[in-house]
Amino acid sequence: GNSVTQMEGPVTLSEEAFLTINCTYTATGYPSLFWYVQYPGEGLQLLLKATKADDKGSNKGFEATYRKETTSFHLEKGSVQVSDSAVYFCALGPGGGNKLTFGTGTQLKVEL
Amino acid sequence: DAGVIQSPRHEVTEMGQEVTLRCKPISGHNSLFWYRQTMMRGLELLIYFNNNVPIDDSGMPEDRFSAKMPNASFSTLKIQPSEPRDSAVYFCASSPPSSPRQFFGPGTRLTVL
């Protein structure tokens, strides 16, 4: 079955530091890959996605590249801000209908 | 453009009481998902519907939980009787036809005393 593994948090960075959150997956077929972000007290929001191998998703300075050879979709940002503090979820789908398989989430804390 | 609407946003109840959580998906979406989020267990899919029909309820923890979707614009998640371990944030999400992208509501924070 499908599964997503992402690095455990919390990840604590200083403002303007470089961010990488690792995500690897196992799946049958050719899934789409997603990063969702959850700000405190809110629901999950789509941050970026990629639908096929070598695609790069990007949004708000965040990027992730769909690497089929390494089954990875690592999230990166060159310079984080305090406002990026949130929980980040890697996900893949569809799996059985429109189900998404989510990772366990990685909490990011950005300090001044 | 209204997103997924959930009510109530916060619910505090006593053990043994019935709790009903409500969700209105985005118009035109045909899949609806109920999730539970806790610190200990993370994000768990409880049940999902496609075209108002329950497709997979394997994540529903036990018979105290039930979900319905009487029409395309409304779903409920009911817990009867509630227990303190049901305390969590419950999210509803919906997705459009032929797309795995899910749109999440703001969640209902449930506290069972």
Side-chain angles (χ1 to χ4, degrees), chain B residues 17-19 64-65 77-82 86 90 110:
Chain B
Q17 296 298 304
E18 177 180 298
V19 174
R64 298 184 296 107
F65 286 69
L77 178 68
K78 185 177 293 186
I79 309 172
Q80 165 63 16
S82 58
D86 301 330
Y90 291 81
L110 173 65

Side-chain angles (χ1 to χ4, degrees), chain A residues 2 92-101, chain B residues 48 100:
Chain A
N2 295 344
L92 70 84
N98 270 352
K99 277 171 50 173
L100 291 177
T101 301
Chain B
Y48 84 94

Side-chain angles (χ1 to χ4, degrees), chain A residues 19-30:
Chain A
L19 168 72
T20 300
I21 300 178
N22 290 338
C23 171
T24 57
Y25 68 91
T26 57
T28 54
Y30 302 95

Side-chain angles (χ1 to χ4, degrees), chain A residues 1 8 19 22 30 40 46 56 70 73-74 85 100 106 109:
Chain A
E8 289 196 19
L19 168 72
N22 290 338
Y30 302 95
L46 180 66
K56 178 186 285 188
T70 55
F73 193 54
H74 305 321
S85 298
L100 291 177
T106 302
K109 297 180 182 179

Side-chain angles (χ1 to χ4, degrees), chain A residues 33-53:
Chain A
L33 299 172
F34 305 83
W35 278 100
Y36 278 80
V37 59
Q38 183 181 28
Y39 298 104
E42 299 183 13
L44 280 69
Q45 306 172 26
L46 180 66
L47 178 60
L48 54 85
K49 68 176 182 179
T51 57
K52 61 184 188 298

Side-chain angles (χ1 to χ4, degrees), chain A residues 32 34 36 38 41-44 46 89 93-94 96-100 102, chain B residues 9 31 33 35 37 43 45 48 56 91 95-96 99-102 104-105:
Chain A
S32 296
F34 305 83
Y36 278 80
Q38 183 181 28
E42 299 183 13
L44 280 69
L46 180 66
F89 292 88
N98 270 352
K99 277 171 50 173
L100 291 177
F102 284 91
Chain B
R9 292 295 310 277
S31 294
F33 306 80
Y35 291 88
Q37 186 178 40
L43 191 67
L45 177 64
Y48 84 94
D56 183 354
F91 289 102
S95 64
S99 170
R101 176 182 174 179
Q102 293 180 17
F104 280 74

Side-chain angles (χ1 to χ4, degrees), chain A:
Chain A
N2 295 344
S3 68
V4 174
T5 302
Q6 58 181 109
M7 60 191 289
E8 289 196 19
V11 173
T12 303
L13 296 173
S14 298
E15 201 169 41
E16 298 184 3
F18 184 85
L19 168 72
T20 300
I21 300 178
N22 290 338
C23 171
T24 57
Y25 68 91
T26 57
T28 54
Y30 302 95
S32 296
L33 299 172
F34 305 83
W35 278 100
Y36 278 80
V37 59
Q38 183 181 28
Y39 298 104
E42 299 183 13
L44 280 69
Q45 306 172 26
L46 180 66
L47 178 60
L48 54 85
K49 68 176 182 179
T51 57
K52 61 184 188 298
D54 300 326
D55 268 3
K56 178 186 285 188
S58 61
N59 185 25
K60 299 181 181 179
F62 291 88
E63 292 182 342
T65 301
Y66 189 157
R67 301 280 189 207
K68 199 172 189 325
E69 64 277 11
T70 55
T71 62
S72 65
F73 193 54
H74 305 321
L75 183 68
E76 297 182 335
K77 186 175 186 182
S79 175
V80 294
Q81 306 300 311
V82 172
S83 57
D84 294 327
S85 298
V87 180
Y88 292 82
F89 292 88
C90 185
L92 70 84
N98 270 352
K99 277 171 50 173
L100 291 177
T101 301
F102 284 91
T104 53
T106 302
Q107 184 175 14
L108 171 66
K109 297 180 182 179
V110 181
E111 301 172 335
L112 290 171

